[in-house]
Amino acid sequence: MDYLKLKWTIWFKSLDSDHDGRITTEDMQMSAKKFDDIRKLIGENGAGVAEFDNTKWWNSYIFRRGPGVALSLEDFIAALEESYQKDKTAFRHEMERCFGDVSAFMTDNKDRPIQEKEFIFGFKVFGQEDLAQVAKAYTLFTAGSGQPTIQQIVDAWVQFIADDDAGKQDMIKEAFGN
C-alpha cells in the first residue's frame, strides 16, 4: 500500500496547481484553463476536438468526498485507499474511465500517435510544468515503441494510479516521482 500512497502523493501534487497543500475548485479552474490551451493546440492541428466537461471530471474522479469538496493530501489518499481496498478491479476500471475520459476530448482514435507538443500540453493539464521532467517522460515513452499513442499514455496513467507492483516499470512514476 505504501507504494500506491507514494504515487497518489505525486498525483495529488500535480493536481494541486496552486501548491497550497489542498485540492480545491481553484485548482479545477486552473486545470480548465489548461484544457482550453490544449484544445486550441489540437484545433490548430486540424484534429477534431470533442467536448470535455472539466468540472464533471473533477467531481467524478478527484473530489471523492463530494462535488467541489476541498481535499488535503491525507483526505485524497484516504479516499483513494478506501476505494482501492473495497474492490481493486473496480478501482482499476474507474481509473481507466478517468484517464479515458480525459483523452477522449482529443480524438476517438486512441491508437493515434501524438506529437511531442501535444504530449507536453497534455502533461501540463495534470500539473506537470517541469519541461525537463516532461521531456524525460516523452523519452521513456518513445524508447519503448516510438511515438506514443493516446492509449499508451492512458494505460501508463492507469498503471501509475492503480498498480501496486513496484517491480514493474512505471513510466509516469519514473518521470515525475523525483
Side-chain angles (χ1 to χ4, degrees):
M1 197 80 238
D2 288 341
Y3 182 61
L4 278 174
K5 288 180 180 181
L6 171 68
K7 294 193 297 181
W8 295 339
T9 299
I10 296 165
W11 191 27
F12 175 90
K13 289 177 182 177
S14 74
L15 293 166
D16 181 16
S17 296
D18 59 8
H19 310 292
D20 67 353
R22 295 169 34 94
I23 296 176
T24 64
T25 55
E26 287 79 16
D27 297 305
M28 178 180 67
Q29 291 165 353
M30 294 168 100
S31 171
K33 167 81 172 88
K34 293 173 187 176
F35 270 105
D36 285 342
D37 292 344
I38 197 169
R39 180 173 282 125
K40 290 174 189 167
L41 170 71
I42 293 168
E44 290 170 5
N45 290 341
V49 180
E51 289 301 313
F52 177 72
D53 188 338
N54 189 64
T55 301
K56 181 180 176 184
W57 184 85
W58 275 74
N59 285 333
S60 297
Y61 302 113
I62 306 304
F63 295 125
R64 301 176 82 80
R65 300 287 189 207
V69 175
L71 296 168
S72 67
L73 172 61
E74 294 76 21
D75 294 336
F76 183 73
I77 289 175
L80 289 169
E81 182 177 13
E82 179 182 320
S83 182
Y84 179 81
Q85 295 285 16
K86 183 178 177 183
D87 187 335
K88 292 176 186 178
T89 301
F91 181 79
R92 182 174 202 86
H93 290 309
E94 178 185 5
M95 292 302 108
E96 288 168 354
R97 287 187 309 275
C98 171
F99 293 102
D101 288 354
V102 169
S103 69
F105 88 98
M106 291 180 70
T107 183
D108 288 338
N109 179 4
K110 300 269 194 274
D111 293 328
R112 178 176 78 78
I114 63 169
Q115 304 295 320
E116 186 171 9
K117 190 174 180 181
E118 291 174 301
F119 186 90
I120 291 166
F121 271 97
F123 274 78
K124 279 186 177 184
V125 168
F126 287 100
Q128 304 301 338
E129 303 283 345
D130 184 325
L131 291 180
Q133 285 183 310
V134 175
K136 180 179 179 181
Y138 191 75
T139 300
L140 288 168
F141 276 98
T142 58
S145 57
Q147 196 173 18
T149 66
I150 291 169
Q151 188 61 56
Q152 288 169 329
I153 294 167
V154 167
D155 292 345
W157 274 100
V158 170
Q159 177 187 347
F160 176 67
I161 301 302
D163 198 327
D164 63 359
D165 185 351
K168 289 169 114 175
Q169 181 185 23
D170 188 322
M171 290 186 279
I172 303 296
K173 182 181 179 303
E174 197 173 323
F176 301 108
N178 299 330

mmCIF file of all heavy atoms in Angstrom, residues 14 34 38 41 114-143 148 153 157 171-178:
data_model
loop_
_atom_site.group_PDB
_atom_site.id
_atom_site.type_symbol
_atom_site.label_atom_id
_atom_site.label_comp_id
_atom_site.label_asym_id
_atom_site.label_seq_id
_atom_site.Cartn_x
_atom_site.Cartn_y
_atom_site.Cartn_z
ATOM 1 N N SER A 14 0.466 17.041 -8.448
ATOM 2 C CA SER A 14 0.264 17.528 -9.815
ATOM 3 C C SER A 14 -1.108 18.179 -9.971
ATOM 4 O O SER A 14 -1.276 19.081 -10.785
ATOM 5 C CB SER A 14 0.458 16.406 -10.835
ATOM 6 O OG SER A 14 -0.621 15.505 -10.838
ATOM 7 N N LYS A 34 -5.976 25.091 -18.665
ATOM 8 C CA LYS A 34 -5.001 24.275 -19.398
ATOM 9 C C LYS A 34 -5.689 23.462 -20.497
ATOM 10 O O LYS A 34 -5.134 23.282 -21.579
ATOM 11 C CB LYS A 34 -4.243 23.364 -18.432
ATOM 12 C CG LYS A 34 -3.344 24.139 -17.479
ATOM 13 C CD LYS A 34 -2.756 23.227 -16.431
ATOM 14 C CE LYS A 34 -2.008 24.025 -15.390
ATOM 15 N NZ LYS A 34 -1.502 23.182 -14.300
ATOM 16 N N ILE A 38 -4.828 23.387 -24.538
ATOM 17 C CA ILE A 38 -4.567 22.210 -25.384
ATOM 18 C C ILE A 38 -5.636 22.078 -26.464
ATOM 19 O O ILE A 38 -5.351 21.671 -27.574
ATOM 20 C CB ILE A 38 -4.416 20.914 -24.558
ATOM 21 C CG1 ILE A 38 -3.749 19.845 -25.439
ATOM 22 C CG2 ILE A 38 -5.731 20.431 -24.007
ATOM 23 C CD1 ILE A 38 -3.297 18.624 -24.695
ATOM 24 N N LEU A 41 -4.498 24.150 -29.284
ATOM 25 C CA LEU A 41 -3.402 23.485 -29.989
ATOM 26 C C LEU A 41 -3.932 22.392 -30.907
ATOM 27 O O LEU A 41 -3.553 22.301 -32.071
ATOM 28 C CB LEU A 41 -2.407 22.876 -28.997
ATOM 29 C CG LEU A 41 -1.351 21.951 -29.617
ATOM 30 C CD1 LEU A 41 -0.344 22.755 -30.417
ATOM 31 C CD2 LEU A 41 -0.685 21.108 -28.565
ATOM 32 N N ILE A 114 0.724 10.726 -30.882
ATOM 33 C CA ILE A 114 0.662 12.149 -30.562
ATOM 34 C C ILE A 114 2.036 12.771 -30.724
ATOM 35 O O ILE A 114 3.068 12.140 -30.497
ATOM 36 C CB ILE A 114 0.081 12.427 -29.172
ATOM 37 C CG1 ILE A 114 0.950 11.838 -28.073
ATOM 38 C CG2 ILE A 114 -1.326 11.908 -29.044
ATOM 39 C CD1 ILE A 114 0.560 12.316 -26.704
ATOM 40 N N GLN A 115 2.013 14.008 -31.118
ATOM 41 C CA GLN A 115 3.238 14.767 -31.321
ATOM 42 C C GLN A 115 3.798 15.200 -29.962
ATOM 43 O O GLN A 115 3.076 15.294 -28.975
ATOM 44 C CB GLN A 115 2.948 16.012 -32.170
ATOM 45 C CG GLN A 115 2.292 15.729 -33.501
ATOM 46 C CD GLN A 115 3.204 14.936 -34.414
ATOM 47 O OE1 GLN A 115 4.403 15.168 -34.473
ATOM 48 N NE2 GLN A 115 2.634 13.978 -35.118
ATOM 49 N N GLU A 116 5.079 15.503 -29.934
ATOM 50 C CA GLU A 116 5.714 15.924 -28.685
ATOM 51 C C GLU A 116 5.043 17.165 -28.106
ATOM 52 O O GLU A 116 4.839 17.266 -26.892
ATOM 53 C CB GLU A 116 7.208 16.171 -28.896
ATOM 54 C CG GLU A 116 7.936 16.456 -27.601
ATOM 55 C CD GLU A 116 9.445 16.499 -27.761
ATOM 56 O OE1 GLU A 116 9.949 16.485 -28.902
ATOM 57 O OE2 GLU A 116 10.129 16.556 -26.731
ATOM 58 N N LYS A 117 4.652 18.098 -28.965
ATOM 59 C CA LYS A 117 3.994 19.324 -28.491
ATOM 60 C C LYS A 117 2.671 18.985 -27.804
ATOM 61 O O LYS A 117 2.350 19.545 -26.752
ATOM 62 C CB LYS A 117 3.772 20.272 -29.671
ATOM 63 C CG LYS A 117 3.327 21.655 -29.299
ATOM 64 C CD LYS A 117 3.294 22.543 -30.536
ATOM 65 C CE LYS A 117 2.850 23.948 -30.193
ATOM 66 N NZ LYS A 117 2.781 24.807 -31.379
ATOM 67 N N GLU A 118 1.901 18.068 -28.366
ATOM 68 C CA GLU A 118 0.642 17.629 -27.741
ATOM 69 C C GLU A 118 0.922 16.933 -26.412
ATOM 70 O O GLU A 118 0.201 17.114 -25.433
ATOM 71 C CB GLU A 118 -0.107 16.664 -28.657
ATOM 72 C CG GLU A 118 -0.663 17.274 -29.907
ATOM 73 C CD GLU A 118 -1.260 16.226 -30.822
ATOM 74 O OE1 GLU A 118 -0.538 15.303 -31.238
ATOM 75 O OE2 GLU A 118 -2.464 16.335 -31.095
ATOM 76 N N PHE A 119 1.970 16.125 -26.388
ATOM 77 C CA PHE A 119 2.369 15.404 -25.182
ATOM 78 C C PHE A 119 2.658 16.403 -24.060
ATOM 79 O O PHE A 119 2.178 16.252 -22.935
ATOM 80 C CB PHE A 119 3.618 14.570 -25.497
ATOM 81 C CG PHE A 119 4.066 13.651 -24.395
ATOM 82 C CD1 PHE A 119 3.580 12.357 -24.318
ATOM 83 C CD2 PHE A 119 4.988 14.070 -23.459
ATOM 84 C CE1 PHE A 119 4.009 11.499 -23.319
ATOM 85 C CE2 PHE A 119 5.430 13.226 -22.456
ATOM 86 C CZ PHE A 119 4.937 11.926 -22.385
ATOM 87 N N ILE A 120 3.427 17.438 -24.390
ATOM 88 C CA ILE A 120 3.781 18.465 -23.402
ATOM 89 C C ILE A 120 2.530 19.151 -22.872
ATOM 90 O O ILE A 120 2.353 19.289 -21.655
ATOM 91 C CB ILE A 120 4.766 19.482 -24.014
ATOM 92 C CG1 ILE A 120 6.126 18.815 -24.256
ATOM 93 C CG2 ILE A 120 4.914 20.716 -23.115
ATOM 94 C CD1 ILE A 120 7.066 19.608 -25.141
ATOM 95 N N PHE A 121 1.648 19.566 -23.765
ATOM 96 C CA PHE A 121 0.408 20.224 -23.325
ATOM 97 C C PHE A 121 -0.452 19.272 -22.505
ATOM 98 O O PHE A 121 -1.044 19.676 -21.498
ATOM 99 C CB PHE A 121 -0.391 20.762 -24.519
ATOM 100 C CG PHE A 121 -0.015 22.149 -24.908
ATOM 101 C CD1 PHE A 121 0.887 22.368 -25.932
ATOM 102 C CD2 PHE A 121 -0.560 23.239 -24.254
ATOM 103 C CE1 PHE A 121 1.240 23.652 -26.304
ATOM 104 C CE2 PHE A 121 -0.216 24.531 -24.618
ATOM 105 C CZ PHE A 121 0.687 24.736 -25.644
ATOM 106 N N GLY A 122 -0.530 18.024 -22.918
ATOM 107 C CA GLY A 122 -1.330 17.042 -22.186
ATOM 108 C C GLY A 122 -0.839 16.846 -20.766
ATOM 109 O O GLY A 122 -1.630 16.749 -19.827
ATOM 110 N N PHE A 123 0.469 16.813 -20.592
ATOM 111 C CA PHE A 123 1.006 16.644 -19.252
ATOM 112 C C PHE A 123 0.852 17.913 -18.413
ATOM 113 O O PHE A 123 0.736 17.840 -17.194
ATOM 114 C CB PHE A 123 2.454 16.147 -19.299
ATOM 115 C CG PHE A 123 2.527 14.654 -19.408
ATOM 116 C CD1 PHE A 123 2.310 14.025 -20.626
ATOM 117 C CD2 PHE A 123 2.771 13.870 -18.300
ATOM 118 C CE1 PHE A 123 2.342 12.646 -20.732
ATOM 119 C CE2 PHE A 123 2.802 12.486 -18.393
ATOM 120 C CZ PHE A 123 2.586 11.871 -19.615
ATOM 121 N N LYS A 124 0.797 19.065 -19.062
ATOM 122 C CA LYS A 124 0.530 20.304 -18.329
ATOM 123 C C LYS A 124 -0.850 20.277 -17.687
ATOM 124 O O LYS A 124 -1.047 20.826 -16.610
ATOM 125 C CB LYS A 124 0.634 21.523 -19.257
ATOM 126 C CG LYS A 124 2.042 21.980 -19.486
ATOM 127 C CD LYS A 124 2.052 23.265 -20.295
ATOM 128 C CE LYS A 124 3.452 23.771 -20.459
ATOM 129 N NZ LYS A 124 3.475 25.061 -21.153
ATOM 130 N N VAL A 125 -1.793 19.636 -18.354
ATOM 131 C CA VAL A 125 -3.147 19.515 -17.796
ATOM 132 C C VAL A 125 -3.081 18.850 -16.426
ATOM 133 O O VAL A 125 -3.842 19.173 -15.529
ATOM 134 C CB VAL A 125 -4.061 18.731 -18.758
ATOM 135 C CG1 VAL A 125 -5.364 18.347 -18.092
ATOM 136 C CG2 VAL A 125 -4.330 19.552 -20.015
ATOM 137 N N PHE A 126 -2.152 17.922 -16.270
ATOM 138 C CA PHE A 126 -2.001 17.226 -14.993
ATOM 139 C C PHE A 126 -0.937 17.869 -14.111
ATOM 140 O O PHE A 126 -0.368 17.224 -13.241
ATOM 141 C CB PHE A 126 -1.701 15.744 -15.227
ATOM 142 C CG PHE A 126 -2.897 15.008 -15.691
ATOM 143 C CD1 PHE A 126 -3.060 14.713 -17.033
ATOM 144 C CD2 PHE A 126 -3.893 14.648 -14.813
ATOM 145 C CE1 PHE A 126 -4.182 14.052 -17.475
ATOM 146 C CE2 PHE A 126 -5.025 13.988 -15.243
ATOM 147 C CZ PHE A 126 -5.164 13.691 -16.579
ATOM 148 N N GLY A 127 -0.669 19.128 -14.329
ATOM 149 C CA GLY A 127 0.208 19.869 -13.441
ATOM 150 C C GLY A 127 1.684 19.625 -13.653
ATOM 151 O O GLY A 127 2.501 20.052 -12.838
ATOM 152 N N GLN A 128 2.044 18.952 -14.708
ATOM 153 C CA GLN A 128 3.453 18.673 -14.966
ATOM 154 C C GLN A 128 4.031 19.823 -15.785
ATOM 155 O O GLN A 128 4.012 19.797 -17.005
ATOM 156 C CB GLN A 128 3.620 17.329 -15.677
ATOM 157 C CG GLN A 128 3.013 16.169 -14.934
ATOM 158 C CD GLN A 128 3.588 15.956 -13.547
ATOM 159 O OE1 GLN A 128 4.692 16.390 -13.231
ATOM 160 N NE2 GLN A 128 2.835 15.316 -12.685
ATOM 161 N N GLU A 129 4.532 20.825 -15.099
ATOM 162 C CA GLU A 129 5.036 22.030 -15.741
ATOM 163 C C GLU A 129 6.542 21.982 -15.999
ATOM 164 O O GLU A 129 7.065 22.765 -16.772
ATOM 165 C CB GLU A 129 4.711 23.259 -14.872
ATOM 166 C CG GLU A 129 3.245 23.447 -14.567
ATOM 167 C CD GLU A 129 2.455 24.026 -15.723
ATOM 168 O OE1 GLU A 129 3.070 24.553 -16.675
ATOM 169 O OE2 GLU A 129 1.215 23.947 -15.670
ATOM 170 N N ASP A 130 7.242 21.078 -15.332
ATOM 171 C CA ASP A 130 8.692 20.985 -15.465
ATOM 172 C C ASP A 130 9.027 20.347 -16.818
ATOM 173 O O ASP A 130 8.852 19.139 -17.017
ATOM 174 C CB ASP A 130 9.262 20.151 -14.320
ATOM 175 C CG ASP A 130 10.770 20.081 -14.319
ATOM 176 O OD1 ASP A 130 11.393 20.058 -15.399
ATOM 177 O OD2 ASP A 130 11.347 20.030 -13.210
ATOM 178 N N LEU A 131 9.507 21.181 -17.743
ATOM 179 C CA LEU A 131 9.760 20.688 -19.103
ATOM 180 C C LEU A 131 10.809 19.591 -19.151
ATOM 181 O O LEU A 131 10.730 18.694 -19.992
ATOM 182 C CB LEU A 131 10.142 21.849 -20.016
ATOM 183 C CG LEU A 131 9.021 22.838 -20.326
ATOM 184 C CD1 LEU A 131 9.511 23.947 -21.247
ATOM 185 C CD2 LEU A 131 7.824 22.126 -20.950
ATOM 186 N N ALA A 132 11.787 19.619 -18.241
ATOM 187 C CA ALA A 132 12.801 18.566 -18.216
ATOM 188 C C ALA A 132 12.170 17.228 -17.838
ATOM 189 O O ALA A 132 12.492 16.195 -18.432
ATOM 190 C CB ALA A 132 13.921 18.925 -17.241
ATOM 191 N N GLN A 133 11.245 17.246 -16.882
ATOM 192 C CA GLN A 133 10.570 16.010 -16.495
ATOM 193 C C GLN A 133 9.646 15.523 -17.603
ATOM 194 O O GLN A 133 9.557 14.325 -17.859
ATOM 195 C CB GLN A 133 9.789 16.206 -15.199
ATOM 196 C CG GLN A 133 10.674 16.255 -13.978
ATOM 197 C CD GLN A 133 9.865 16.363 -12.714
ATOM 198 O OE1 GLN A 133 8.989 17.211 -12.596
ATOM 199 N NE2 GLN A 133 10.164 15.505 -11.754
ATOM 200 N N VAL A 134 8.955 16.435 -18.260
ATOM 201 C CA VAL A 134 8.066 16.047 -19.357
ATOM 202 C C VAL A 134 8.895 15.464 -20.506
ATOM 203 O O VAL A 134 8.515 14.464 -21.110
ATOM 204 C CB VAL A 134 7.190 17.229 -19.820
ATOM 205 C CG1 VAL A 134 6.368 16.849 -21.045
ATOM 206 C CG2 VAL A 134 6.265 17.684 -18.690
ATOM 207 N N ALA A 135 10.040 16.074 -20.788
ATOM 208 C CA ALA A 135 10.930 15.551 -21.829
ATOM 209 C C ALA A 135 11.416 14.148 -21.463
ATOM 210 O O ALA A 135 11.494 13.262 -22.320
ATOM 211 C CB ALA A 135 12.112 16.488 -22.045
ATOM 212 N N LYS A 136 11.710 13.937 -20.175
ATOM 213 C CA LYS A 136 12.126 12.612 -19.715
ATOM 214 C C LYS A 136 10.998 11.605 -19.936
ATOM 215 O O LYS A 136 11.226 10.493 -20.414
ATOM 216 C CB LYS A 136 12.506 12.668 -18.236
ATOM 217 C CG LYS A 136 12.950 11.351 -17.657
ATOM 218 C CD LYS A 136 13.329 11.500 -16.192
ATOM 219 C CE LYS A 136 13.756 10.177 -15.585
ATOM 220 N NZ LYS A 136 14.109 10.325 -14.169
ATOM 221 N N ALA A 137 9.771 12.003 -19.615
ATOM 222 C CA ALA A 137 8.626 11.119 -19.826
ATOM 223 C C ALA A 137 8.470 10.790 -21.303
ATOM 224 O O ALA A 137 8.249 9.628 -21.667
ATOM 225 C CB ALA A 137 7.348 11.763 -19.283
ATOM 226 N N TYR A 138 8.587 11.790 -22.161
ATOM 227 C CA TYR A 138 8.438 11.559 -23.596
ATOM 228 C C TYR A 138 9.507 10.587 -24.088
ATOM 229 O O TYR A 138 9.230 9.676 -24.872
ATOM 230 C CB TYR A 138 8.494 12.883 -24.359
ATOM 231 C CG TYR A 138 8.080 12.753 -25.803
ATOM 232 C CD1 TYR A 138 6.740 12.604 -26.145
ATOM 233 C CD2 TYR A 138 9.025 12.774 -26.835
ATOM 234 C CE1 TYR A 138 6.346 12.471 -27.466
ATOM 235 C CE2 TYR A 138 8.633 12.645 -28.162
ATOM 236 C CZ TYR A 138 7.294 12.495 -28.469
ATOM 237 O OH TYR A 138 6.907 12.358 -29.775
ATOM 238 N N THR A 139 10.723 10.751 -23.599
ATOM 239 C CA THR A 139 11.818 9.855 -23.967
ATOM 240 C C THR A 139 11.519 8.429 -23.510
ATOM 241 O O THR A 139 11.770 7.471 -24.252
ATOM 242 C CB THR A 139 13.148 10.347 -23.362
ATOM 243 O OG1 THR A 139 13.419 11.647 -23.862
ATOM 244 C CG2 THR A 139 14.298 9.421 -23.693
ATOM 245 N N LEU A 140 10.988 8.268 -22.308
ATOM 246 C CA LEU A 140 10.628 6.933 -21.819
ATOM 247 C C LEU A 140 9.584 6.284 -22.724
ATOM 248 O O LEU A 140 9.682 5.099 -23.050
ATOM 249 C CB LEU A 140 10.101 7.011 -20.389
ATOM 250 C CG LEU A 140 11.129 7.297 -19.306
ATOM 251 C CD1 LEU A 140 10.447 7.635 -17.985
ATOM 252 C CD2 LEU A 140 12.071 6.109 -19.126
ATOM 253 N N PHE A 141 8.583 7.062 -23.124
ATOM 254 C CA PHE A 141 7.538 6.531 -23.997
ATOM 255 C C PHE A 141 8.100 6.187 -25.370
ATOM 256 O O PHE A 141 7.806 5.125 -25.915
ATOM 257 C CB PHE A 141 6.386 7.529 -24.146
ATOM 258 C CG PHE A 141 5.383 7.461 -23.036
ATOM 259 C CD1 PHE A 141 5.440 8.345 -21.980
ATOM 260 C CD2 PHE A 141 4.375 6.507 -23.051
ATOM 261 C CE1 PHE A 141 4.514 8.289 -20.955
ATOM 262 C CE2 PHE A 141 3.439 6.439 -22.030
ATOM 263 C CZ PHE A 141 3.516 7.327 -20.973
ATOM 264 N N THR A 142 8.897 7.067 -25.960
ATOM 265 C CA THR A 142 9.399 6.824 -27.311
ATOM 266 C C THR A 142 10.446 5.714 -27.346
ATOM 267 O O THR A 142 10.575 5.036 -28.361
ATOM 268 C CB THR A 142 9.981 8.107 -27.941
ATOM 269 O OG1 THR A 142 11.025 8.615 -27.113
ATOM 270 C CG2 THR A 142 8.900 9.155 -28.131
ATOM 271 N N ALA A 143 11.176 5.511 -26.259
ATOM 272 C CA ALA A 143 12.190 4.459 -26.219
ATOM 273 C C ALA A 143 11.572 3.081 -26.378
ATOM 274 O O ALA A 143 12.159 2.196 -26.997
ATOM 275 C CB ALA A 143 12.984 4.532 -24.920
ATOM 276 N N PRO A 148 4.460 7.811 -28.973
ATOM 277 C CA PRO A 148 3.400 7.196 -28.165
ATOM 278 C C PRO A 148 2.007 7.471 -28.723
ATOM 279 O O PRO A 148 1.763 8.494 -29.349
ATOM 280 C CB PRO A 148 3.574 7.858 -26.799
ATOM 281 C CG PRO A 148 4.228 9.167 -27.083
ATOM 282 C CD PRO A 148 5.087 8.944 -28.300
ATOM 283 N N ILE A 153 -0.521 6.252 -23.361
ATOM 284 C CA ILE A 153 -0.434 7.229 -22.276
ATOM 285 C C ILE A 153 -1.534 6.983 -21.253
ATOM 286 O O ILE A 153 -1.288 7.021 -20.039
ATOM 287 C CB ILE A 153 -0.451 8.662 -22.838
ATOM 288 C CG1 ILE A 153 0.834 8.886 -23.647
ATOM 289 C CG2 ILE A 153 -0.576 9.690 -21.711
ATOM 290 C CD1 ILE A 153 0.830 10.120 -24.494
ATOM 291 N N TRP A 157 -0.953 6.024 -17.249
ATOM 292 C CA TRP A 157 -1.570 6.722 -16.109
ATOM 293 C C TRP A 157 -2.377 5.755 -15.255
ATOM 294 O O TRP A 157 -2.348 5.825 -14.019
ATOM 295 C CB TRP A 157 -2.433 7.892 -16.576
ATOM 296 C CG TRP A 157 -1.622 9.144 -16.750
ATOM 297 C CD1 TRP A 157 -1.142 9.654 -17.923
ATOM 298 C CD2 TRP A 157 -1.180 10.031 -15.717
ATOM 299 N NE1 TRP A 157 -0.438 10.807 -17.674
ATOM 300 C CE2 TRP A 157 -0.443 11.062 -16.332
ATOM 301 C CE3 TRP A 157 -1.343 10.052 -14.338
ATOM 302 C CZ2 TRP A 157 0.137 12.101 -15.605
ATOM 303 C CZ3 TRP A 157 -0.768 11.094 -13.614
ATOM 304 C CH2 TRP A 157 -0.030 12.104 -14.247
ATOM 305 N N MET A 171 6.361 4.248 -16.080
ATOM 306 C CA MET A 171 6.942 5.415 -16.759
ATOM 307 C C MET A 171 6.529 6.731 -16.116
ATOM 308 O O MET A 171 7.337 7.664 -16.054
ATOM 309 C CB MET A 171 6.601 5.384 -18.243
ATOM 310 C CG MET A 171 7.322 4.283 -18.979
ATOM 311 S SD MET A 171 7.066 4.318 -20.747
ATOM 312 C CE MET A 171 5.475 3.512 -20.867
ATOM 313 N N ILE A 172 5.304 6.835 -15.650
ATOM 314 C CA ILE A 172 4.866 8.086 -15.024
ATOM 315 C C ILE A 172 5.636 8.307 -13.728
ATOM 316 O O ILE A 172 6.159 9.406 -13.488
ATOM 317 C CB ILE A 172 3.341 8.085 -14.776
ATOM 318 C CG1 ILE A 172 2.563 7.847 -16.086
ATOM 319 C CG2 ILE A 172 2.902 9.360 -14.078
ATOM 320 C CD1 ILE A 172 2.727 8.925 -17.129
ATOM 321 N N LYS A 173 5.735 7.290 -12.904
ATOM 322 C CA LYS A 173 6.480 7.437 -11.648
ATOM 323 C C LYS A 173 7.951 7.709 -11.927
ATOM 324 O O LYS A 173 8.571 8.559 -11.280
ATOM 325 C CB LYS A 173 6.353 6.202 -10.769
ATOM 326 C CG LYS A 173 7.095 6.426 -9.449
ATOM 327 C CD LYS A 173 7.034 5.245 -8.551
ATOM 328 C CE LYS A 173 7.782 5.480 -7.265
ATOM 329 N NZ LYS A 173 9.195 5.845 -7.441
ATOM 330 N N GLU A 174 8.505 7.012 -12.894
ATOM 331 C CA GLU A 174 9.918 7.191 -13.228
ATOM 332 C C GLU A 174 10.204 8.620 -13.685
ATOM 333 O O GLU A 174 11.216 9.202 -13.317
ATOM 334 C CB GLU A 174 10.297 6.197 -14.336
ATOM 335 C CG GLU A 174 11.786 5.993 -14.499
ATOM 336 C CD GLU A 174 12.099 4.874 -15.475
ATOM 337 O OE1 GLU A 174 11.370 3.848 -15.508
ATOM 338 O OE2 GLU A 174 13.084 5.036 -16.212
ATOM 339 N N ALA A 175 9.286 9.182 -14.434
ATOM 340 C CA ALA A 175 9.490 10.539 -14.952
ATOM 341 C C ALA A 175 9.201 11.626 -13.919
ATOM 342 O O ALA A 175 9.895 12.636 -13.878
ATOM 343 C CB ALA A 175 8.616 10.773 -16.186
ATOM 344 N N PHE A 176 8.181 11.431 -13.094
ATOM 345 C CA PHE A 176 7.723 12.511 -12.215
ATOM 346 C C PHE A 176 7.863 12.222 -10.736
ATOM 347 O O PHE A 176 7.505 13.057 -9.910
ATOM 348 C CB PHE A 176 6.260 12.841 -12.531
ATOM 349 C CG PHE A 176 6.067 13.254 -13.953
ATOM 350 C CD1 PHE A 176 5.426 12.420 -14.857
ATOM 351 C CD2 PHE A 176 6.553 14.470 -14.414
ATOM 352 C CE1 PHE A 176 5.257 12.786 -16.167
ATOM 353 C CE2 PHE A 176 6.389 14.841 -15.730
ATOM 354 C CZ PHE A 176 5.763 14.000 -16.612
ATOM 355 N N GLY A 177 8.374 11.056 -10.379
ATOM 356 C CA GLY A 177 8.423 10.671 -8.974
ATOM 357 C C GLY A 177 9.613 11.169 -8.174
ATOM 358 O O GLY A 177 9.784 10.797 -7.037
ATOM 359 N N ASN A 178 10.386 12.024 -8.766
ATOM 360 C CA ASN A 178 11.574 12.518 -8.035
ATOM 361 C C ASN A 178 11.243 13.707 -7.183
ATOM 362 O O ASN A 178 10.447 14.502 -7.428
ATOM 363 C CB ASN A 178 12.672 12.886 -9.024
ATOM 364 C CG ASN A 178 13.089 11.673 -9.840
ATOM 365 O OD1 ASN A 178 13.020 10.560 -9.367
ATOM 366 N ND2 ASN A 178 13.496 11.909 -11.059
#
